[in-house]
Amino acid sequence: MLRDPSTKYRPFPPIQIADRTWPSKTITRAPRWLSTDLRDGNQALIDPMDAEKKTRFFDLLVKVGLKEIEVGFPSAGATEFDFISGLIKQNRIPEDVKIQVLTQSRRDLIETSFRSLEGAHSAIVHLYNAVSPAWRRIVFGMSREEVKAIAIEGAKVLRDEAAKQPNVDWHFEYSPETFSTAEVDFSIEVCAAVMDVLRPTAEHPLILNLPATVECATPNVYADQIEYFGRHIPNREAVVISLHTHNDRGTGVAAAELGLMAGADRVEGCLLGNGERTGNCDLVTVALNMYTQGVDPQLDLSDIDAIVKTVEYATNIPVHPRTPYAGDLVFTAFSGSHQDAIKKGFAAQEARNDDLWEVPYLPIDPADLGRSYEAVIRVNSQSGKGGVAWVIEQDKGLKLPKRLQSDFSRHVQALADETSRELNAADIWGAFERAYLPGESDRFVLRDYDETGSAGDRLFVGRIAIDGEERSLSGRGNGLISGVIAALADSTGPSLDVIDYAEHAIGHGAGAQAAAYLECRTADGRTVWGVGIDTDIATASVRAVLSAANRS
C-alpha cells in the first residue's frame, strides 16, 4: 500500500447543495421494491442458475411480496429468453406482479427483449447506457452528445416496440448507468431527453433508475446526488426515482436509506445482498431496518430461515452467519454481559403491560422472523451466569435463583474450559445433574418419608440410604425442611443452616413438576446449594435438603 495514496487516488468531489433537506428526514413508508436477484444477482454467480433454480427463486420472491421482479436479460442467450417467456406461457406470474427485463440501448437487443415478453399482462422494459466521463472516454470513446443520442434512440425503439403489442400494460425504466460517477447535470440532461421521447405522465410515470454502479463515495454524497436530481429533473410528478446501490464501500444499505430520505421512490436490490463484486443493496436489511422503526415494509419476511435456505440453494453461496437479521448468529449472544442484559430484557418484557419491544442487544423480536428464543443465548467459555441460567430455563424450565446461577456457572465454566467448545443444552443439563441432583452414588438418597404434626411442630420420619445402607431417620422442626435437617444431624449427617429457599412450578397442568432450591451454610462456614425436583413440592423440598447435604 502507498504511504501517500493521494498520489494515485482522488477524493470524490462533493455535491454543492447549501440547503439540502434529507439529513432531517426519516423514512415513514415503504418504497416500491424491485428484486434484481434473477438478473443482477444471477450475473454475479460462478454457476448461473438453471431454469429450475430460477423458477424456485421467482416463486420465493412472489411469496415474500415483491410486486416488481427483474426476471432476466433476454437478449443474453436462449436460457434467459426461454425462462422469461416460459413464466408467461405457464401463467406463473400473478396479476399484481410486474416482471421486468433489462436491455442495453441497442435496437436488436431491445427487439429481442420485447419478443420475450409476448403475452404478458404487464411488464417493465429497462433500458440503460453508461454516461459517466470514464466510460465515455475509456470504454466508448464518445462525446456527451453521442452518449445522449444512444439513450434517445433506445427510447424511440422502446416506444415503437411497445406499440406493436397494445394488449400488454407496458412500463418503461431508464438508467443512466454509472450515475454515481457521472456529472449530475449531464445525467439530468440525458434523462430529460428520454422523457421527451416517452412522454410520461403522473398516471403513467417513467422509472428513472439512478445506480451507484460503482460505489465510490460516502452515502451522504449519493443522497445529495439524489436530492439534486429530484429537484432539477423536469416534470418530477411523472417520474419514479429508483435507487440501485452497490456495496463496493460496504455502505450499499446506508446509501439506499439516505437516498430514500433524499426523495427516491423505489429501491432495487437482491434478497440478502447478492450481486456483482461486493453485492447489491440487501433488500431484507433495508426492509427490516424499516420494520424496527415501526414502518411496515410491505414484505413478508416472517420465515427468514426459509428465505435463507432458498437463496443459498439457488445461488450456491452460503449466507454469512453475521448477515444482518438473516445470519444464524445475529440473535445469539456468547458474551456473559450480553447474555445477562438479554435475559433481564426478556424478564422485563414478560412483565410489561404493553407490546412495545425493548430487549437489550436485540433490535427486533426474533419471533417476528420465525426464529425461536432457544438460540438467542448460547454457552461457551466466554459466557456468564445469565447465559447458563437462560439455557437451563429454556430447556428445562428451571428458574435458578441468582446466587445459584453464580454457583452453577463455575461448573459450566470448568466444563467449557475442559472441552474448548460450545456447550449445548444437553452438556449444561448434564453438568447441573452432576452438581445438584441426587443420584444413587450420593451419600444421602431418599427412599420414602412421612410427615406429621401441627403447624410449627412437624415430625419428619423417613427412610434414607446413607452410604448405601438404608436407615430410618426422624427429626422434629417447625417445618418439613427443618425436620429433615434435624434428622440428618441426629444421624451423623452434616449440620446445615438454611440461608434461603425458593420454589416454583415447572410447566402447567396435571403433569407439572415442582423445583425447590435451598441455600445452606455448613458448620465450617461454607455455602452449599441443594436442588430438588418432583411432582410433589414437599418431596422436592426434601430432595433439596438431601442435595445440599450431599454437596456439604
Side-chain angles (χ1 to χ4, degrees):
M1 295 179 67
L2 300 174
R3 299 301 296 269
D4 182 8
S6 67
T7 61
K8 188 173 184 179
Y9 302 101
R10 289 168 292 180
F12 195 88
I15 306 299
Q16 300 303 323
I17 305 181
D19 58 343
R20 60 178 57 84
T21 63
W22 65 261
S24 62
K25 300 288 182 63
T26 57
I27 299 172
T28 58
R29 60 183 177 85
R32 288 171 56 173
W33 302 103
L34 172 82
S35 162
T36 62
D37 288 276
L38 299 178
R39 191 270 301 173
D40 210 12
N42 193 36
Q43 290 178 166
L45 302 179
I46 297 173
D47 298 311
M49 300 176 218
D50 58 21
E52 189 275 331
K53 287 184 175 181
K54 291 193 77 170
T55 300
R56 181 166 167 180
F57 209 135
F58 178 82
D59 291 343
L60 170 67
L61 296 171
V62 171
K63 182 177 180 181
V64 164
L66 272 299
K67 303 303 180 185
E68 299 176 38
I69 302 172
E70 195 166 68
V71 289
F73 205 136
S75 60
T79 300
E80 291 283 281
F81 187 100
D82 292 344
F83 170 73
I84 295 164
S85 61
L87 288 176
I88 298 168
K89 293 173 183 176
Q90 297 164 20
N91 294 317
R92 299 190 69 91
I93 306 167
E95 288 292 324
D96 61 346
V97 172
K98 293 183 179 68
I99 59 171
Q100 175 171 305
V101 298
L102 181 71
T103 177
Q104 292 170 302
S105 188
R106 280 176 38 191
R107 175 176 292 274
D108 59 326
L109 304 183
I110 297 171
E111 290 172 347
T112 299
S113 299
F114 273 89
R115 285 200 305 273
S116 74
L117 295 169
E118 289 179 0
H121 55 80
S122 180
I124 305 169
V125 181
H126 180 187
L127 178 77
Y128 75 96
N129 66 301
V131 300
S132 68
W135 266 256
R136 297 194 308 260
R137 184 179 71 255
I138 299 170
V139 181
F140 304 124
M142 290 184 174
S143 67
R144 282 191 177 198
E145 287 304 312
E146 289 172 317
V147 166
K148 183 169 70 172
I150 292 174
I152 293 171
E153 179 59 26
K156 291 178 179 178
V157 180
L158 285 187
R159 178 195 62 198
D160 297 343
E161 287 298 310
K164 297 176 183 177
Q165 298 186 53
N167 293 331
V168 180
D169 178 22
W170 293 110
H171 299 263
F172 301 128
E173 175 173 347
Y174 172 70
S175 289
E177 192 194 6
T178 65
F179 167 84
S180 56
T181 53
E183 310 92 336
V184 182
D185 286 327
F186 181 56
S187 294
I188 293 171
E189 181 183 335
V190 174
C191 290
V194 170
M195 293 174 68
D196 287 342
V197 174
L198 297 177
R199 301 293 181 183
T201 64
E203 295 72 30
H204 205 86
L206 170 66
I207 301 168
L208 290 178
N209 182 48
L210 307 179
T213 307
V214 178
E215 186 180 38
C216 54
T218 49
N220 62 294
V221 173
Y222 184 65
D224 282 346
Q225 292 173 322
I226 300 303
E227 180 163 341
Y228 187 94
F229 185 96
R231 289 187 185 188
H232 294 89
I233 191 70
N235 199 14
R236 173 65 177 92
E237 67 276 6
V239 168
V240 172
I241 294 181
S242 187
L243 309 175
H244 183 109
T245 60
H246 278 259
N247 202 40
D248 301 272
R249 293 172 55 94
T251 57
V253 166
E257 292 180 324
L258 298 191
L260 287 174
M261 292 160 57
D265 310 294
R266 185 176 185 253
V267 174
E268 299 188 4
C270 294
L271 296 184
L272 306 176
N274 182 41
E276 294 179 293
R277 303 185 307 281
T278 54
N280 290 104
C281 175
D282 183 337
L283 296 186
V284 170
T285 298
V286 177
L288 290 178
N289 283 352
M290 293 180 190
Y291 184 82
T292 65
Q293 303 303 302
V295 177
D296 179 8
Q298 298 182 14
L299 296 178
D300 182 2
L301 305 172
S302 60
D303 191 352
I304 197 69
D305 290 333
I307 293 171
V308 170
K309 184 178 180 180
T310 300
V311 171
E312 289 183 328
Y313 165 75
T315 63
N316 201 29
I317 296 176
V319 173
H320 194 282
R322 301 296 182 189
T323 298
Y325 302 108
D328 282 346
L329 297 179
V330 295
F331 300 124
T332 301
F334 291 101
S335 162
S337 60
H338 290 202
Q339 292 172 339
D340 184 62
I342 290 171
K343 182 174 180 293
K344 289 176 179 175
F346 272 106
Q349 192 74 20
E350 190 174 336
R352 290 173 66 94
N353 293 322
D354 59 58
D355 295 329
L356 187 66
W357 179 255
E358 191 176 19
V359 176
Y361 294 112
L362 296 180
I364 191 172
D365 185 350
D368 288 356
L369 305 183
R371 294 271 177 91
S372 71
Y373 296 142
E374 294 177 4
V376 169
I377 291 176
R378 289 161 59 176
V379 175
N380 61 16
S381 60
Q382 304 297 307
S383 303
K385 63 181 185 298
V388 173
W390 168 271
V391 174
I392 282 283
E393 181 174 349
Q394 295 299 305
D395 185 49
K396 298 296 181 180
L398 299 184
K399 300 177 181 180
L400 306 187
K402 190 171 183 179
R403 289 194 294 274
L404 176 55
Q405 294 177 24
S406 298
D407 189 79
F408 180 44
S409 68
R410 295 184 294 104
H411 298 273
V412 176
Q413 184 68 47
L415 181 61
D417 289 339
E418 177 186 339
T419 58
S420 298
R421 62 172 174 82
E422 179 188 355
L423 302 181
N424 58 35
D427 294 325
I428 295 169
W429 179 243
F432 190 84
E433 287 185 306
R434 291 189 296 274
Y436 304 107
L437 297 184
E440 287 298 320
S441 62
D442 283 334
R443 186 180 184 199
F444 302 100
V445 180
L446 179 66
R447 298 299 187 212
D448 196 9
Y449 79 96
D450 193 14
E451 180 191 18
T452 60
S454 57
D457 183 17
R458 310 294 295 175
L459 177 64
F460 168 83
V461 178
R463 288 190 296 110
I464 297 176
I466 303 178
D467 296 326
E469 180 185 348
E470 190 170 304
R471 298 171 59 180
S472 179
L473 305 181
S474 64
R476 189 176 295 275
N478 60 5
L480 177 59
I481 291 175
S482 58
V484 179
I485 291 176
L488 291 174
D490 290 343
S491 304
T492 68
S495 175
L496 299 174
D497 183 24
V498 176
I499 298 174
D500 197 14
Y501 172 80
E503 64 183 42
H504 67 80
I506 306 173
H508 304 280
Q513 290 187 302
Y517 310 100
L518 192 66
E519 183 181 11
C520 298
R521 184 176 291 111
T522 63
D524 58 0
R526 291 182 299 111
T527 298
V528 295
W529 279 91
V531 179
I533 299 175
D534 198 272
T535 54
D536 175 65
I537 185 58
T539 304
S541 300
V542 175
R543 294 188 186 281
V545 175
L546 297 182
S547 171
N550 288 322
R551 305 288 81 73
S552 69

